Structures are given as C-alpha cells and as structure tokens.
Amino acid sequence: MVGAGVIGLAIAWRLAGARLQVALVDPHPGAGASDVAAGMLAPVTEVTFGEDALTRLTLASAARYPTFVAELEAASGVQVGYRRSGSLTVALDRDDLAVLERLRTYLEERHLGVERLSASQARRREPLLAPETSGALFAPDDHVVDPRLLVRALREACIRAGVAEVSAAATRVLIEGGRASGVELEGGGCVAAPVTVVAAGAHSAELTAGVEEMPVRPVKGQLLVLRTAGGVPLLQQTVRGLAHGFSAYMVPRGDGRLVVGATVEERGFDVSVTAEAVYSLLRDARRLVPAVDELELVEWRAASRPGTPDNAPLLGEAAVPGLVWATGHYRNGILLTPLTADVIAELVVHGRIADIAAPFVSARFARGKVRS
Amino acid sequence: MVGAGVIGLAIAWRLAGARLQVALVDPHPGAGASDVAAGMLAPVTEVTFGEDALTRLTLASAARYPTFVAELEAASGVQVGYRRSGSLTVALDRDDLAVLERLRTYLEERHLGVERLSASQARRREPLLAPETSGALFAPDDHVVDPRLLVRALREACIRAGVAEVSAAATRVLIEGGRASGVELEGGGCVAAPVTVVAAGAHSAELTAGVEEMPVRPVKGQLLVLRTAGGVPLLQQTVRGLAHGFSAYMVPRGDGRLVVGATVEERGFDVSVTAEAVYSLLRDARRLVPAVDELELVEWRAASRPGTPDNAPLLGEAAVPGLVWATGHYRNGILLTPLTADVIAELVVHGRIADIAAPFVSARFARGKVRS
C-alpha cells in the first residue's frame, strides 16, 4: 500500500480487517489532498452533467457513509464529525437562477431529491444569506464529514487492526519476473509485497513511470478556514454558490469554523497559497453571505488533487500483475472513500471488481484510448 | 520605561547612552504595533492636510533617520533595511487624479519635493502598475525601513548599552508623595524609578488610570505579507493607492516579500485578522498591481496602534511629576522613532522639551481641552 490519505488508509483498514498483512507507506500520513478538503459529501449537488456512471459511484459511496462511519467510530473511538445537514445551492442573479433550474431538472430526471426554495424560504434556512438571494436548491442528502477527524479515525483504526505504518517516501514500484513486487523507498530500502496498491493521489503516476503510464496529474486546490469570534456557527449547512469560474462553497463546522473552498487550478505540483485564490474565495464567500466579513481568518491551505482526463477515479488492476490502482479521485476523494475501500479490498481478497467500479478500471486509459 | 516597542527601545537606548540606568518593562518586546508596521517613512506622502505642526515633526524625524540608522547599525551590528527608494502614489480614475493634484499643490506650497508623473513615466518606474494607471506622484524623500530589523537592532543596542530588560507586564504607574515612583508588575513586584516613561502604545492610558487620564485609544491595523516565488522583488519602491476608504500601500522588501497594508479600524483591543480586511487589502493591491495575484500569501498580522483625538503623538511631561509620556504615535511610530527618542532623552536628562515637540505635550488633552 502506498499513500496514507483517506483512500489508502481506508483500504488498509479494510484489508487488515480481512486478516491480510498490510504495510502502509507514507512519510506524512493525511498531509496531502485529504488535509485540504472541506469534507462535503455532495453526490447530489456535485453531480456532473452527462457522467451517469460517476454519479452512480458517488451515490453508492454516499449511501455507504452511515455504516462506514458507525463502524469506523466504533473501531477507532474517534468521532469524525459526520453530519446529515443537507446543502443549499444559492442563486443570486438571473443567470444563476437559470443554472439552478437546469440542475433541478437534471436531478429530478434522475430521481435525486432536491427542493426548490424561494428567496424567503432559503433565508428561513440560512438567515445570513445575501439580500440579493433570488432562490436556492436544498439537497437534503448532501452531508458533511470532517476530513481531519476522518484521517485521525482511520489511522487509529489501522493501528488497532495491525496495519504497519512505514514512515518513508516510496520512489517507485518494483517489478520482478513481470510482476509488481513492492516499492522502493527513498534513501534505499524497499517494502516487498505480493500485491501493491497505489493510492498516492497526485503522485501515483510518478511511482509507475516506465512500468505503466497513467494520466494522473496534480490539480491544485486552495481553501481557507475562517472562524466566528464566539464559536457559534455562522451557517447551519453547506452553502454553495454558482458559476463565477470558481465552485464556491462554505462548510460550517460545529465549533464555529467555516471552511471556504476551493479553487481548481492547473499548476503542476505547486502548493503555495496565492493572493488571487484568497481574494477570489473571500469575494465569492462574502457575496453569498456578507457576514463572512466579520470572521477571523485562521488558516489557509493548498494541495494537489489527483486528476484524470475524465475527472473520474482510477480503480482496479493494472496491466502489470500484482499492481492495483486506487487514485484519481479528483474532488471526490472524501466522498468516494467508503466505496473505494470496499471495492479494492474485495478485488485484493477475492480477485473480482464490483460492477459499479468496472467503468473506472485503468484499461480505459490504455495507449490509444486516452481521452484528454 | 514601560513598553519595548520601537519608541520605548529607542528612548531606552538614548538614555543608556547618556549614562542613565534604565529598566525597560515589557513581557513581549517588539510584539505590538511595531511588529505590524510596514516601515514606510513617508513624511511627504503621509502629510495630513491642515496639520502643519505634525508635518514639521515627521519631516524632522525623517531628516534624522540617516544618522540614526548609521549610529544604530554601528552600535548593534544589525542592518535595519533602510532604503531611500522613494514612494509612488498611483491614480487610477479621474477622482484619484483630482486627489493627486490637490496633494501635489499642498506639498509644493510647503516646498516638499514631489514629481508629477504621467502614466507612462510611472510605468517606467514600476512596469507592473495596472493598465488603468492614469498618473502618479513620486516622492523621492519617502524611504523605508524594516521594522522587525529595527526592533532587533534596538534590542541589541540596548543590551550592549546596559539597559535592563524586565520581562513582565506593567499593570499601573505607582504614585508616592505626589510623584510617579515606578510601576507595579503583574503577579506582584514593582520597578522603582525616579522617572517613569510610559511608551506602552495603545496600552498607555490603562497604566495611568486614576493617576492621569489621557485619551489614548487602540486603533486596529491589519496587514498582509506576500512573497514572490523566486525571491525577486515585484516592485522597486513603495506603491500607494488613493482613497477607497483604506489607505492601501505595498512596501517591497529586498528578499521578495511585499508588505500590503493597512486597515484603520476602531475595534478596541481586538487583534484578530478578519476576512473583510484580507479581502479589502488584496482587492486594493491587485487593483494597483495586478501581478500581485501570483504572489504567495505568507503572513497576516493585526495590532493596536495608539491613537489620540488629534492623531498626533503625546510627548513630554505629565501633570504628575516624574511621569513622562511617549505614546500616541498612531500610524507614525516607526517614522517618529529617532526624533521621539532624542526629544524624550533630552527632557529626562536636561529637563527641557524641544520646541518642535512643544505642540504635542499632554496639556492639550487636559480636562476641558480634549478635542474629539
């Protein structure tokens, strides 16, 4: 196992639960894209037009969340901040309203429960919405989890299940007799294994360079954390804005923190927090909820998400035997964690890929088939 | 001496140089408003309409800077980043141009050297100015210093000169036989002294509550520090914007950092960094110099400046014998440091107040005379 983000940790936990020996290689567990996630579990609002297979995947993973969280909290003794609060997508101007209507139609055609709210209904749900609010879409099935707590819980569960954490950077997947035989570690040494699961996020492609080329690239994301002075949450649920180039959203935590995310930028492995991103995020947030102005800015972060040409994950066996992909989760890593863990564990233990994951195997990116 | 900001430190250094015994009381030297200053020495551009006495004071202090810096650097072995780079005040729209013309007229009437630049002349000085730049005023005599280095140099010079740093918070000025006799320390204890200089910035008034009431209040300021990726400065000199409610300016440091300041807010002793301030500072900065967008945001800070009803400092003897004021420097603390140190040292050693400082004695705020 390479990569101790939420994906790698959850797979390791499931594999250890199936009584396999697991070594999880990562110099900084939970420090990548998992740490720069708001924790929105929004299969409904984040639906991608025309990507029904991906929507089925995200909905299936969202459906597993309650059981996943219950099991994980019991196994780890750590609460992960899972809240079924719904999300509110807010329209300000006429263009926003048109987008809102298209989204509603698309969702209703797929029997995804959403509720169209007037401006006053929306403000009844969130009194601090901007006066220009012209309407909203409430998605009761969009929930939220705290990604840092999720990492903490998964690490604890892994330790209790006997997973060995290897605190080193993997440099490449090793091949022996035509099979993946483990990974080489920075500074020498290696971890040998009959099966190597690559869950190294945006760094996954580097590990298999020359072995199997996969089009996984870094997609930069930046977010801010604000906080109310008294610790009382400013919002009751996730509030999202429309368009403006950014996908602006605000996710309240119970302690008064408010996560404002997130940019989507093609910048390679750059993880600096830029003036432009901070400006844009604050501009969009205060446009939706002017009271944001009064909040204290307490944290900013940037990370590289693992993107693929079709924005969908890369799951299942590689062409090279003994190598398994679990990456490319792009903006859906937290949401897809439960399902990915189950799918990959089933693949490693029983050798079969679940039907729902079949569209996301690596064969779709094989030479000559790469969509870009 | 109470207060080890730049003012207190510089006075202590001068007094120790005059062979007086000095104890400097501050739990966190240099951590107040001195640490949330850009270090603009801008007596010309920062001139306050109608406040000629204050302008004389700031110009006199600016004139002492070269000697002050040379002496301080020699005494401490620490370079303070003093650069005679001038400042550029940039007009974007027609309203800005009108303000620029008024400022130019006012400055020229007072024989303060400024140069009116066309848009293309301004861009020759600073190629990254916004395309909307319509004109600028170049003030060659506005310089810059790095306040953190200034604090470091002053502390080192104080230590070498034998000043005793007392690392504790002063709670109040003590009175004995109708004279100030020193200060009480938090947690018990006191420092006794024949003369007590209060240079505690925004906290100065608290120390003399019940002894002598002075209208010194906290005026919140927030600033940001950005940084270029390669360490090459984005700007060659201080660039300032006009109006917009904020006094926006950008001060480049030699290492690629760019200080963006500063808000002026009446918020009591609140020193949280707010979303609104960060947004406004970035908005103004990127409006003046769009390339700011690419910079990394590396630091934010807020502090309480010591404000007075006439925005001018409070210098000289109090009504209570043995008590001396050196506070109320508002937005001019760094600039007024050399002159304040000389004036107060002369007062303590020789018992006379320099003519130039006479308009700023505490008598102007005596009961019934407080302007607000």
Side-chain angles (χ1 to χ4, degrees):
Chain A
M1 287 285 322
V2 185
V6 285
I7 299 290
L9 284 164
I11 295 170
W13 177 47
R14 288 305 195 200
L15 289 175
R19 307 197 179 283
L20 295 191
Q21 265 193 293
V22 185
L24 184 54
V25 179
D26 196 320
H28 306 291
S34 300
D35 196 51
V36 188
M40 270 194 307
L41 308 172
V44 177
T45 316
E46 288 262 333
V47 74
T48 311
F49 288 93
E51 293 288 355
D52 286 343
L54 181 56
T55 300
R56 273 195 298 277
L57 198 72
T58 55
L59 284 168
S61 198
R64 291 188 193 199
Y65 242 98
T67 317
F68 174 76
V69 166
E71 270 186 74
L72 178 60
E73 292 185 341
S76 66
V78 176
Q79 307 292 305
V80 298
Y82 180 56
R83 295 198 301 150
R84 309 187 193 200
S85 48
S87 80
L88 204 58
T89 302
V90 174
L92 297 181
D93 60 22
R94 202 176 284 267
D95 288 350
D96 291 352
L97 273 180
V99 176
L100 207 65
E101 278 309 311
R102 274 209 301 285
L103 180 58
R104 179 185 35 176
T105 307
Y106 187 85
L107 293 173
E108 286 180 346
E109 281 169 10
R110 278 151 189 79
H111 309 292
L112 296 171
V114 284
E115 195 182 333
R116 177 71 165 82
L117 305 183
S118 68
S120 59
Q121 286 169 328
R123 254 195 301 277
R124 224 165 294 142
R125 283 209 153 267
E126 284 295 354
L128 297 177
L129 288 179
E132 308 90 280
T133 299
S134 59
L137 217 52
F138 178 64
D141 296 334
D142 280 354
H143 304 319
V144 71
V145 71
D146 185 328
R148 283 190 176 169
L149 297 179
L150 192 61
V151 164
R152 195 182 306 164
L154 283 167
R155 288 188 72 182
E156 181 61 32
C158 279
I159 289 164
R160 291 188 185 184
V163 171
E165 280 196 0
V166 179
S167 187
T171 48
R172 63 185 181 100
V173 169
L174 296 168
I175 301 293
E176 214 168 301
R179 278 187 63 90
S181 62
V183 290
E184 184 185 70
L185 302 180
E186 197 170 65
C190 70
V191 175
V195 177
T196 302
V197 180
V198 174
H203 293 278
S204 297
E206 294 165 28
L207 294 171
T208 63
V211 172
E212 180 159 332
E213 304 293 336
M214 277 293 129
V216 179
R217 71 182 194 284
V219 181
K220 183 175 178 179
Q222 305 189 47
L223 62 73
L224 306 174
V225 182
L226 309 177
R227 188 174 53 198
T228 56
V232 178
L234 194 73
L235 302 175
Q236 306 311 309
Q237 62 228 290
T238 297
V239 170
R240 309 170 55 98
L242 287 162
H244 311 311
F246 282 102
S247 163
Y249 55 77
M250 284 170 273
V251 178
R253 303 260 185 259
D255 60 359
R257 280 178 302 149
L258 185 72
V259 180
V260 181
T263 67
V264 177
E265 305 165 74
E266 299 287 346
R267 299 266 186 151
F269 281 105
D270 165 33
V271 290
S272 62
V273 173
T274 61
E276 180 182 25
V278 174
Y279 170 79
S280 308
L281 292 170
L282 290 176
R283 179 196 60 201
D284 291 352
R286 64 200 293 280
R287 193 186 288 165
L288 292 167
V289 177
V292 159
D293 265 357
E294 296 303 310
L295 302 195
E296 187 177 359
L297 181 53
V298 291
E299 203 181 330
W300 53 46
R301 277 174 271 155
S304 301
R305 310 178 187 92
T308 64
D310 58 7
N311 294 333
L314 181 57
L315 303 174
E317 290 180 307
V320 176
L323 184 63
V324 171
W325 293 106
T327 185
H329 290 80
Y330 190 45
R331 303 177 60 231
N332 293 311
I334 307 293
L335 174 55
L336 288 174
T337 292
L339 187 74
T340 300
D342 291 346
V343 162
I344 300 299
E346 191 189 355
L347 175 66
V348 172
V349 175
H350 300 294
R352 55 168 187 259
I353 187 90
D355 288 346
I356 199 166
F360 304 103
V361 296
S362 64
R364 76 188 196 280
F365 295 131
R367 202 182 299 270
K369 295 180 69 179
V370 175
R371 294 184 260 167
S372 65
Chain B
M1 287 285 320
V2 185
V6 286
I7 298 291
L9 284 164
I11 296 170
W13 176 48
R14 288 303 194 202
L15 289 175
R19 307 198 180 279
L20 295 192
Q21 266 194 292
V22 185
L24 184 54
V25 178
D26 196 320
H28 307 292
S34 300
D35 195 51
V36 188
M40 270 194 306
L41 308 173
V44 177
T45 316
E46 289 263 332
V47 73
T48 311
F49 288 94
E51 293 287 355
D52 286 344
L54 180 57
T55 300
R56 274 194 298 278
L57 198 71
T58 55
L59 283 168
S61 198
R64 292 188 192 200
Y65 242 97
T67 317
F68 174 76
V69 166
E71 270 187 75
L72 178 59
E73 292 184 343
S76 66
V78 177
Q79 306 294 305
V80 300
Y82 180 55
R83 294 197 301 150
R84 308 188 193 200
S85 49
S87 79
L88 204 57
T89 302
V90 175
L92 298 181
D93 60 20
R94 203 175 282 267
D95 287 351
D96 291 351
L97 273 180
V99 176
L100 207 66
E101 279 309 313
R102 274 208 302 283
L103 180 58
R104 183 197 14 190
T105 308
Y106 187 85
L107 294 173
E108 286 179 348
E109 281 170 10
R110 277 150 192 81
H111 310 291
L112 296 172
V114 285
E115 195 183 329
R116 176 72 164 83
L117 304 183
S118 68
S120 59
Q121 286 169 328
R123 254 195 302 274
R124 223 165 295 140
R125 283 208 154 267
E126 284 295 355
L128 297 177
L129 288 179
E132 308 91 279
T133 298
S134 59
L137 217 52
F138 178 63
D141 296 333
D142 279 354
H143 303 319
V144 72
V145 71
D146 185 330
R148 283 189 176 169
L149 297 178
L150 193 61
V151 165
R152 197 183 305 167
L154 283 167
R155 288 189 71 183
E156 182 61 32
C158 279
I159 289 165
R160 292 187 185 184
V163 171
E165 279 196 0
V166 179
S167 185
T171 48
R172 65 188 180 96
V173 169
L174 296 168
I175 301 293
E176 213 167 305
R179 278 188 62 90
S181 61
V183 290
E184 183 186 72
L185 302 179
E186 196 170 65
C190 69
V191 174
V195 177
T196 302
V197 180
V198 175
H203 293 278
S204 298
E206 295 164 27
L207 295 171
T208 62
V211 172
E212 181 159 330
E213 305 292 338
M214 276 294 131
V216 179
R217 72 182 193 287
V219 180
K220 182 175 178 178
Q222 305 189 48
L223 61 73
L224 306 175
V225 182
L226 309 178
R227 186 174 56 197
T228 57
V232 178
L234 193 73
L235 302 174
Q236 307 310 310
Q237 62 228 292
T238 297
V239 170
R240 311 171 50 99
L242 288 161
H244 311 309
F246 283 102
S247 163
Y249 55 78
M250 284 169 274
V251 179
R253 302 261 186 259
D255 60 359
R257 280 178 302 149
L258 184 72
V259 181
V260 181
T263 66
V264 178
E265 306 165 75
E266 298 288 346
R267 299 265 186 152
F269 281 106
D270 165 33
V271 290
S272 62
V273 173
T274 60
E276 181 181 24
V278 174
Y279 170 79
S280 307
L281 292 169
L282 290 176
R283 179 195 59 202
D284 292 352
R286 64 200 294 279
R287 194 186 287 166
L288 292 166
V289 178
V292 159
D293 265 355
E294 297 302 311
L295 301 195
E296 186 177 0
L297 180 53
V298 290
E299 205 181 329
W300 52 47
R301 280 174 270 156
S304 300
R305 309 178 188 90
T308 64
D310 58 8
N311 294 334
L314 180 57
L315 302 174
E317 290 181 305
V320 176
L323 184 63
V324 172
W325 293 106
T327 184
H329 290 80
Y330 189 45
R331 303 178 59 232
N332 294 312
I334 306 294
L335 174 55
L336 289 174
T337 291
L339 188 75
T340 301
D342 291 346
V343 163
I344 300 298
E346 191 189 355
L347 176 67
V348 171
V349 175
H350 301 293
R352 55 170 188 259
I353 187 91
D355 288 346
I356 199 165
F360 304 103
V361 297
S362 65
R364 77 188 195 280
F365 295 132
R367 203 181 299 272
K369 295 180 69 179
V370 175
R371 294 187 258 166
S372 66

